[in-house]
Amino acid sequence: MSRLLNMLYQAKILQRRKEGAQVYYRIEDQNAIQLCRVVCGQMVDKVIQQTGRLTQAPVEGFVVREE
């Protein structure tokens, strides 16, 4: 995981701050947020198409649909 986080940091997608031994990351590139929303939305749509309903309630709270 730390390799992936470092790679995203070097690509300027994430920002980080260190507090002692802890490292905190946040999304720096707003385009990454939009990409995640699109991918998650597509996944939710596919689950709904296959099952007729959303099978995992936590996913509903995560996906923000812009209409």
Side-chain angles (χ1 to χ4, degrees):
M1 183 58 76
S2 61
R3 284 184 181 171
L4 177 59
L5 290 170
N6 192 47
M7 182 178 73
L8 293 171
Y9 170 74
Q10 289 178 355
K12 297 189 184 331
I13 294 171
L14 296 180
Q15 191 58 258
R16 69 179 175 197
R17 76 180 154 85
K18 296 180 182 182
E19 288 185 13
Q22 300 292 322
V23 180
Y24 297 92
Y25 291 89
R26 67 178 175 87
I27 298 173
E28 176 70 13
D29 184 347
Q30 296 301 308
N31 291 323
I33 294 171
Q34 185 61 30
L35 178 61
C36 288
R37 285 182 174 155
V38 168
V39 170
C40 289
Q42 291 295 316
M43 291 169 55
V44 167
D45 289 345
K46 190 168 199 164
V47 168
I48 291 171
Q49 287 174 1
Q50 291 175 350
T51 65
R53 63 186 174 89
L54 194 56
T55 57
Q56 292 181 334
V59 175
E60 283 184 26
F62 177 74
V63 176
V64 177
R65 297 211 180 255
E66 297 179 21
E67 298 183 32

